[in-house]
Amino acid sequence: MDGTHAPALPLQGLRVLDLTLARAGPTCVRHLADWGADVIRIEPPAAEGEDVAGNRYGPDFQNLHRNKRAIQLDLKSNEGYAAFMRLVADADVLVENMRPTVKHRLKIAWGDVHAVNPRLVYGSISGFGQDGPYGTRAGLDQIAQGMGGLMSITGLPGQGPVRVGIPIADLTAGNMLAFGIMTALFERQRTGVGRWVTTSLLEVQVFMLDFQAARWLMEGDVPQQAGNDHPTSIPTGVFPTQDGHINIAASSGRLFARLCTAMGHADWAEKPEWKLQTGRSADRIAINAAIAAETVKQPSAYWTALFEENGIPCGPINTIDQVFADPQVRHLGLAMPMHSPRLGKVEVVASPVSMSGVTKAVRRPTPEAGEHTAEVLAKVEQEASAWAAV
């Protein structure tokens, strides 16, 4: 589907300047692009034979940058900087994830652009915040996972620090900045003035500790690694089956009783030491061993069907190929088709948000480097000339 004849989308009419690199910033901008914003991705000119974006045709880049236009500008040159500021004057949102010192050196920081366009909402992601003791440090996802406490509670007890299998700090920073930008845009409807919206990998990682952080803040309890067991709700975790593993979540008294009955061991629920959650938590090893001794006797499909019939939350543990073969994932359309002029028909990961009356689709395939430079700059010059004639 091309951008010219695309149906109206919720963010149609919103112009976004994308100065982001790596993953956190592009994740934010992808939300805006998917829901109809006119996103102009600004990349520096590449040296001959070099693509500053890295592997432009790899799955990561293609998945992050669909539904955007791309131009090349040298912000260090007078001409490139002037063209950029002309874009700023007519934009609604600017998103960047440079080190704080870099944007000041380039004279494209909040103060610089706010003076040109007071309506602009300026979104920033950094490693550790825009100022403070770590403000000038470069931030990476795994560094934030470690400093933000996540690696201390991930993995098996005694295993040592373990990173999460996705760049969760990067992704969460992008998701939260998109939320912050939309909040600022909503306020701008009333005030007519934009705001500088910031977050960082460290901030979102601490935020995502959620109840684990609250255990420390409110009770002085330092959470430890619990492996595949839920740290406070027992039994919730991974159990072996005849042909693999499944997750079972039956931590409440009611669900635990159902589980015991379904497995042919109603007597477990009557044991005095297992009747209450506190007792089950204290005796988690014995409970898990008892359940595992039964689940290993039948295949995963047997148990998931039995537990589903009895209203007990459960599910298989899928590899990524099995995820996209799952009938519910297919029903939800989470693999979204995209036709790339270079790669042909491929699939990217769809937005997890749905809206009534709106069809999710890739309107523009991930652009080539500088593909829309002439188109965008010609339009800017045309608009500038029109204003000058008024």
Side-chain angles (χ1 to χ4, degrees):
M1 183 184 301
D2 64 42
T4 306
H5 300 96
L9 290 169
L11 297 184
Q12 185 170 316
L14 195 73
R15 177 166 290 180
V16 179
L17 303 183
D18 177 8
L19 286 170
T20 65
L21 298 170
R23 187 182 314 281
T27 295
C28 166
V29 179
R30 179 177 59 188
H31 287 298
L32 309 179
D34 279 354
W35 292 104
D38 175 19
V39 173
I40 301 172
R41 176 169 172 78
I42 302 169
E43 298 173 353
E48 187 174 353
E50 175 192 7
D51 189 344
V52 294
N55 184 5
R56 195 173 207 95
Y57 304 106
D60 195 18
F61 191 93
Q62 292 289 312
N63 187 54
L64 279 170
H65 297 294
R66 75 279 185 113
N67 289 328
K68 302 178 182 181
R69 295 189 286 171
I71 69 172
Q72 290 182 325
L73 284 180
D74 182 2
L75 299 182
K76 297 178 182 178
S77 72
N78 292 333
E79 296 81 4
Y81 183 78
F84 173 74
M85 282 303 184
R86 286 195 293 273
L87 285 169
V88 164
D90 193 42
D92 297 287
V93 177
L94 185 154
V95 186
E96 58 85 22
N97 60 339
M98 306 172 185
R99 282 202 204 188
T101 53
V102 173
K103 56 178 170 280
H104 286 287
R105 186 168 67 246
L106 291 173
K107 298 182 180 179
I108 58 172
W110 161 245
D112 301 308
V113 301
H114 185 66
V116 172
N117 181 358
R119 288 178 50 81
L120 184 80
V121 172
Y122 189 108
S124 297
I125 295 175
S126 60
F128 304 98
Q130 297 296 315
D131 49 30
Y134 305 157
T136 59
R137 286 192 190 181
L140 296 172
D141 175 86
Q142 187 159 336
I143 305 300
Q145 286 194 34
M147 294 178 68
L150 182 61
M151 292 175 68
S152 75
I153 56 174
T154 304
L156 300 171
Q159 181 178 2
V162 178
R163 69 178 289 274
V164 172
I166 59 170
I168 190 168
D170 280 345
L171 297 173
T172 304
N175 295 339
M176 294 305 295
L177 187 65
F179 167 75
I181 286 169
M182 296 310 299
T183 302
L185 286 170
F186 183 81
E187 183 199 40
R188 193 185 72 174
Q189 290 183 315
R190 184 176 71 254
T191 66
V193 179
R195 287 191 185 271
W196 185 15
V197 183
T198 70
T199 191
S200 69
L201 305 189
L202 181 61
E203 288 172 276
V204 300
Q205 187 57 83
V206 174
F207 169 77
M208 288 293 284
L209 292 177
D210 199 64
F211 77 97
Q212 297 281 49
R215 290 171 65 186
W216 161 251
L217 291 173
M218 298 185 66
E219 298 178 350
D221 181 11
V222 179
Q224 303 296 314
Q225 290 169 308
N228 289 320
D229 293 331
H230 191 280
T232 59
S233 301
I234 311 301
T236 298
V238 175
F239 296 90
T241 66
Q242 198 175 74
D243 58 356
H245 295 82
I246 58 171
N247 274 311
I248 303 172
S251 59
S252 71
R254 177 173 55 85
L255 286 174
F256 182 62
R258 285 186 191 174
L259 176 75
C260 297
T261 300
M263 297 185 73
H265 288 280
D267 55 300
W268 290 351
E270 299 303 319
K271 296 179 69 168
E273 63 270 34
W274 292 0
K275 268 188 168 294
L276 299 178
Q277 178 63 254
T278 52
R280 292 194 294 274
S281 293
D283 208 16
R284 78 164 71 203
I285 293 176
I287 290 179
N288 286 349
I291 295 172
E294 293 299 319
T295 56
V296 77
K297 297 176 182 177
Q298 297 288 348
S300 297
Y302 171 87
W303 293 114
T304 54
L306 177 67
F307 294 148
E308 177 63 25
E309 182 182 338
N310 286 274
I312 301 162
C314 65
I317 298 175
N318 292 328
T319 56
I320 305 302
D321 56 325
Q322 291 171 331
V323 169
F324 286 99
D326 183 277
Q328 185 66 20
V329 171
R330 293 173 69 88
H331 169 75
L332 294 170
L334 292 174
M336 187 164 62
M338 178 175 80
H339 187 272
S340 165
R342 171 77 173 255
L343 302 174
K345 184 179 179 181
V346 296
E347 290 182 320
V348 292
V349 184
S351 170
V353 177
S354 297
M355 294 187 190
S356 60
V358 179
T359 299
K360 290 184 284 190
V362 175
R363 306 179 312 283
R364 294 181 182 272
T366 299
E368 298 290 325
E371 179 180 343
H372 304 97
T373 303
E375 169 190 315
V376 170
L377 295 186
K379 181 67 172 177
V380 169
E381 293 297 336
Q382 179 183 352
E383 291 171 350
S385 299
W387 275 106
V390 175

